Amino acid sequence: MDDRLPSNRSQDLSRRVLSVIGRQQWMDRPSYRLEHLLSFGYNGLGRARNGITNALNGVWLGHPVHPALASLTSGALATTVLLDAMSLLPVQPVTETRDASRFASRALGVGILASVCSALTGATDWQHTHQEQRRVGLVHGVVNVAAIALYMRSWWDRRRGHRGRGIALTALGYGLTAGGSYLGGVLVFDSGIGTDRSGPRLHSTEWTPVLYENSLNGKPIRVEVDGVGLVVCQSEAGEVFAFGEFCPHMAAPMADGWLDRGRLVCPWHGSWFATETGQVLRGPSTAPLPCYQARLVNGMVEIRNGEQRGERQGGAK
């Protein structure tokens, strides 16, 4: 006899489903082909590439824009389903039925537009995932694209007077959207996709010596202060900078990155961070890289966190 609670059984089932999806290595070839297609399309934008991908990633917002659009999508589609249900009630006047049907079509149009925008931003974020995350993300995307196709057909049927079929297609699409949303939640809450993964922050406001200047070789070097990992680098002009050791996007070790014309570059996905402030100059990262004060004193690099004192962060000699 199974004595587990229903919630535990459903959790076990969802874990098994996710495990099965994560093991499907045959998805890797088509997913990487899709990634290359996306990269080719973005690179074809020329100088506009960084501005457009930054907008799609959510650099301007400070966090991924995809979840916000997904919430708008869910809200508009839930409104559509609710209005459809109201329009089917037999006890209301004909005029109210027509009003509910008309507003349902409008809400569906908003949901379709939000879905397309959500899919575009989601694909831009997805192309920088790997292995199990990439496979779950691919299924998430395919499910939602199928739902969008159903919504579009539903909208077309409604326009042509086939309201009953349109309502049925919307309900079916909403079921797919609910399943796809669950997979999206797994990517965020279990895998940390879209969250700030830059790690612990340095809180000490006292200057702490970390290494000699002659140890710097033009590349980021990892150091540790109060148990917090940091990276230190020096510009060609001799200015020193200190940052958190992990990229906020996917926790790439910034000690493997490099300096390029006043930018610290992530070694995994190519995010650019301003050396003066740690602000994102190019995604896919949307959160800034933690940046600390650094200075040179008698050939020794010293670091502290100056935020509590209201001082500007960056490289201070």
Side-chain angles (χ1 to χ4, degrees):
M1 180 177 179
D2 193 347
D3 294 329
R4 294 176 297 174
L5 294 173
S7 60
N8 291 333
R9 289 196 292 268
S10 63
Q11 290 174 6
D12 290 343
L13 177 61
S14 63
R15 291 193 188 98
R16 287 197 294 269
V17 171
L18 290 170
S19 177
V20 170
I21 295 174
R23 293 197 303 269
Q24 303 306 306
Q25 297 183 11
W26 62 269
M27 294 183 182
D28 294 344
R29 178 172 293 183
S31 69
Y32 281 111
R33 287 180 177 175
L34 177 57
E35 178 198 350
H36 295 158
L37 182 62
L38 290 170
S39 299
F40 180 79
Y42 291 139
N43 291 334
L45 297 172
R47 294 182 178 180
R49 177 196 183 280
N50 288 349
I52 292 175
T53 55
N54 281 353
L56 294 173
N57 286 134
V59 172
W60 58 277
L61 194 59
H63 63 76
V65 71
H66 175 69
L69 287 173
S71 297
L72 175 60
T73 299
S74 297
L77 295 172
T79 300
T80 304
V81 172
L82 178 61
L83 290 171
D84 281 342
M86 291 175 59
S87 70
L88 295 175
L89 293 177
V91 296
Q92 60 183 335
V94 175
T95 55
E96 292 185 7
T97 300
R98 290 174 178 172
D99 287 342
S101 179
R102 182 171 66 255
F103 286 119
S105 296
R106 293 177 180 177
L108 179 59
V110 172
I112 291 172
L113 180 60
S115 295
V116 172
C117 294
S118 180
L120 184 58
T121 56
T124 307
D125 294 340
W126 167 84
Q127 66 175 329
H128 301 293
T129 57
H130 304 280
Q131 298 180 339
E132 290 84 0
Q133 300 166 355
R134 172 171 289 243
R135 296 162 195 158
V136 173
L138 182 63
V139 175
H140 166 72
V142 169
V143 168
N144 281 295
V145 167
I148 293 173
L150 291 173
Y151 296 139
M152 289 180 171
R153 182 54 193 260
S154 172
W155 185 83
W156 178 253
D157 284 343
R158 292 167 192 256
R159 295 273 294 180
R160 294 175 63 87
H162 305 301
R163 189 169 67 90
R165 186 165 62 191
I167 290 174
L169 289 173
T170 296
L172 179 58
Y174 192 69
L176 291 178
T177 296
S181 297
Y182 173 77
L183 294 177
V186 169
L187 292 173
V188 173
F189 297 109
D190 287 1
S191 301
I193 303 298
T195 60
D196 186 345
R197 302 177 65 183
S198 54
R201 302 295 200 268
L202 176 66
H203 297 291
S204 174
T205 58
E206 301 299 324
W207 287 109
T208 303
V210 292
L211 79 168
Y212 290 103
E213 181 184 11
N214 57 18
S215 300
L216 298 171
N217 55 7
K219 298 179 180 180
I221 296 180
R222 185 187 184 279
V223 297
E224 193 169 300
V225 178
D226 293 340
V228 178
L230 309 169
V231 292
V232 179
C233 54
Q234 186 174 34
S235 68
E236 293 182 358
E239 202 169 11
V240 290
F241 303 94
F243 307 93
E245 69 170 325
F246 297 118
C247 176
H249 176 232
M250 293 285 285
M254 296 304 295
D256 294 337
W258 60 90
L259 286 174
D260 177 29
R261 294 169 290 179
R263 303 170 301 210
L264 184 61
V265 182
C266 170
W268 286 2
H269 303 117
S271 293
W272 295 350
F273 301 94
T275 53
E276 289 283 349
T277 63
Q279 291 299 313
V280 182
L281 300 177
R282 187 179 82 171
S285 178
T286 57
L289 184 66
C291 183
Y292 304 99
Q293 289 188 322
R295 69 179 184 182
L296 290 173
V297 178
N298 298 324
M300 176 70 70
V301 178
E302 297 183 346
I303 298 174
R304 72 171 180 178
N305 179 13
E307 286 186 322
Q308 288 90 338
R309 301 182 181 181
E311 302 178 14
R312 182 183 65 83
Q313 296 188 55
K317 292 193 71 173

